């Protein structure tokens, strides 16, 4: 199929028609990685495994660098022109294109290396692994054996339309330019999220305190438990999904997947239940202005509800809060994220409601100081939301380009 979007040669003429070729025709023989355990980083030799490739950006994650254990063979080094492909498990199909900034890199056994020959553009070939067509092929091919996995021979057989090398370069230049914009925008998002964490730390540790509008000091902070933050706590439940009529109502019902861990105002409302669904399940209506806190799957997520809502059993909701609702939501969010980190890597699954009710907090006794803190954090959140929206626009642009050029 001819792509919707085509480039012209520098002299204005048309490039030749695209030809169908396999990955194996464009690359040296595909090879498997080394079967070595990871060990402490030795300062030079880096080890890339499936989990070291970011699911979204496909970049090498260098925040927890390790080295391969044992004697090292140079045939396992990843270099310019190399694409790594995950060959097993749920990540089958995930790809990575080597960049010199990633340093001296050895690749692990669950990855396959495809070295793109000089007759093709490595970025153009790598871009084929980002298309809908590729992922449909991965899904079909990987399940033929009954469990996810694609071997080197199967990867080499994957075919796609290929233009002349000069047109490949033009496509690669455009896509890599968009990628640089996306990376810069992601850096901006990350920077603001780190600033927000720093602001929260300084505010809730009282390292930084607001003053009253007349310049006077606010009263000392007081200690409260979760139970003392509201007049009523409400649990949740899930109406039977086998009765589809339950979800044909107009009352919003949410689960933990409808919230984001870093924003108290994000609530994706896609399911609406009936009064009958409420009557026949454990879910309950929660008033607007209440705070929904995830205690089970998705610990760390907190939302300030802007309308009447029912929740799943993963939540406990604070109704009729005794203070500024937005401030309390921010305070709970910060605390629950710390609790989520504390339980990582342990057998603890969530936080029991009894323990949550006993958690203690240091907080302003003045509601005016609470509001000043909430207003500042809201401003930072607004900046982050706008930065993420800009990032999403560029990501959608790239998807559109991939669709039009590799249809």
């Amino acid at each position: 199929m001819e792509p919707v979007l085509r480039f012209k040669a520098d002299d204005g003429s048309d490039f030749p028609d695209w030809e169908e070729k396999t990955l194996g025709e464009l690359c040296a023989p595909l090879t498997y990685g080394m079967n070595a355990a990871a060990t402490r980083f030795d300062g030079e030799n880096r080890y890339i495994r499936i989990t070291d490739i970011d699911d979204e950006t496909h970049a090498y994650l260098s925040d927890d660098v390790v080295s391969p254990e044992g004697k090292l063979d140079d045939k396992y080094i990843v270099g310019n022109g190399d694409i790594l492909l995950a060959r097993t498990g749920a990540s089958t199909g995930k790809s990575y294109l080597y960049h010199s900034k990633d340093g001296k890199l050895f690749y692990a056994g669950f990855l396959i290396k495809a070295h793109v020959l000089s007759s093709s553009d490595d970025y153009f070939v790598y871009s084929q692994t980002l298309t809908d067509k590729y992922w449909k092929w991965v899904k079909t091919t990987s399940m033929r054996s009954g469990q996810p996995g694609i071997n080197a021979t199967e990867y080499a057989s994957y075919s796609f339309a290929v233009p002349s090398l000069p047109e490949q370069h033009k496509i690669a230049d455009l896509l890599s330019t968009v990628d640089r914009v996306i990376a810069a925008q992601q850096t901006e998002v990350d920077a603001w999220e780190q600033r927000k964490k720093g602001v929260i730390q300084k505010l809730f540790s009282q390292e930084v305190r607001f003053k009253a509008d007349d310049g006077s000091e606010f009263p000392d902070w007081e200690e409260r438990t979760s139970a003392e933050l509201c007049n009523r706590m409400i649990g949740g439940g899930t109406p039977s999904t086998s009765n589809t009529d339950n979800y044909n109502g107009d009352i919003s019902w949410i689960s933990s997947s409808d919230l984001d861990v870093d924003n108290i105002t994000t609530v994706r409302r896609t399911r609406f239940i009936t009064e009958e669904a409420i009557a026949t399940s454990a879910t309950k209506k929660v008033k607007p202005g209440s705070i929904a806190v995830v205690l089970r799957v998705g610990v760390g997520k907190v939302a300030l509800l802007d309308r009447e809502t029912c929740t799943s059993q993963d939540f406990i909701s604070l109704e009729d809060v005794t203070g500024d609702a937005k401030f309390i939501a921010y305070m709970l969010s910060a605390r629950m994220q710390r609790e989520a980190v504390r339980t990582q890597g342990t057998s603890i699954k969530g936080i029991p409601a009894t323990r949550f009710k006993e958690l203690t907090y240091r907080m302003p006794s003045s509601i005016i100081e609470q509001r000043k803190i909430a207003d500042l954090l809201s401003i930072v959140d607004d900046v982050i939301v706008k930065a993420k929206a800009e990032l999403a626009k560029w990501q959608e642009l790239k998807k559109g380009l991939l669709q039009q050029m590799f249809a």
Side-chain angles (χ1 to χ4, degrees), residues 62-135:
S62 57
D63 50 353
D64 187 20
V65 180
V66 295
S67 293
E69 191 174 59
K71 186 177 180 180
L72 304 182
D73 190 326
D74 285 354
K75 71 179 182 179
Y76 296 116
I77 291 179
V78 189
N80 292 325
D82 287 343
I83 299 170
L84 299 182
L85 302 163
R87 68 180 180 89
T88 189
S91 296
T92 298
K94 187 161 67 169
S95 59
Y96 158 80
L97 176 66
Y98 178 76
H99 194 288
S100 59
K101 67 179 176 57
D102 295 334
K104 189 175 181 182
L105 205 58
F106 290 81
Y107 69 109
F110 288 138
L111 293 168
I112 291 173
K113 182 172 75 174
H115 177 73
V116 180
L117 300 173
S118 59
S119 53
S120 294
D121 186 288
D122 58 347
Y123 197 93
F124 171 85
V125 177
Y126 158 73
S127 295
Q128 302 299 319
T129 67
L130 308 178
T131 64
D132 290 341
K133 176 190 172 184
Y134 170 76
W135 283 104

Side-chain angles (χ1 to χ4, degrees), residues 48-221:
I48 183 170
R49 303 153 296 176
I50 291 176
T51 53
D52 297 314
I53 302 172
D54 187 88
D55 291 334
E56 296 295 327
T57 65
H58 295 253
Y60 168 59
L61 298 172
S62 57
D63 50 353
D64 187 20
V65 180
V66 295
S67 293
E69 191 174 59
K71 186 177 180 180
L72 304 182
D73 190 326
D74 285 354
K75 71 179 182 179
Y76 296 116
I77 291 179
V78 189
N80 292 325
D82 287 343
I83 299 170
L84 299 182
L85 302 163
R87 68 180 180 89
T88 189
S91 296
T92 298
K94 187 161 67 169
S95 59
Y96 158 80
L97 176 66
Y98 178 76
H99 194 288
S100 59
K101 67 179 176 57
D102 295 334
K104 189 175 181 182
L105 205 58
F106 290 81
Y107 69 109
F110 288 138
L111 293 168
I112 291 173
K113 182 172 75 174
H115 177 73
V116 180
L117 300 173
S118 59
S119 53
S120 294
D121 186 288
D122 58 347
Y123 197 93
F124 171 85
V125 177
Y126 158 73
S127 295
Q128 302 299 319
T129 67
L130 308 178
T131 64
D132 290 341
K133 176 190 172 184
Y134 170 76
W135 283 104
K136 288 177 183 176
W137 175 84
V138 166
K139 183 177 180 180
T140 301
T141 306
S142 68
M143 294 306 296
R144 286 176 181 168
S145 62
Q147 54 185 338
I150 299 178
N151 61 37
T153 302
E154 290 169 325
Y155 269 124
S157 71
Y158 177 64
S159 65
F160 48 91
V162 179
S164 64
L165 185 57
E167 189 172 6
Q168 287 183 43
H169 288 329
K170 285 182 177 288
I171 292 170
D173 287 346
L174 173 60
L175 292 177
S176 59
T177 298
V178 174
D179 272 348
R180 285 193 291 273
V181 175
I182 290 173
Q185 190 63 30
Q186 183 65 64
T187 299
E188 182 178 344
V189 170
D190 294 343
W192 274 105
E193 289 181 335
Q194 285 302 313
R195 291 185 190 111
K196 179 182 174 182
K197 289 179 181 178
V199 170
I200 287 174
Q201 172 62 29
K202 290 180 182 295
L203 289 173
F204 288 110
S205 67
Q206 301 182 64
E207 181 180 341
V208 173
R209 290 283 305 272
F210 282 97
K211 290 185 181 293
D213 291 343
D214 63 3
S216 62
E217 303 284 347
F218 282 114
D220 290 342
W221 286 24

Side-chain angles (χ1 to χ4, degrees), residues 16-22 25-26 124 159-164:
D17 291 340
W18 291 28
E19 299 178 4
E20 192 77 9
K21 293 187 179 181
T22 64
E25 293 177 277
L26 306 177
F124 171 85
S159 65
F160 48 91
V162 179
S164 64

Side-chain angles (χ1 to χ4, degrees), residues 355-372:
R355 180 171 175 274
F356 171 73
K357 292 175 182 179
E358 295 171 352
L359 294 178
T360 59
Y361 313 83
R362 295 290 299 174
M363 60 183 288
S365 55
S366 166
I367 195 168
I368 297 175
E369 186 176 6
Q370 293 178 26
R371 286 173 182 159
K372 284 181 177 288

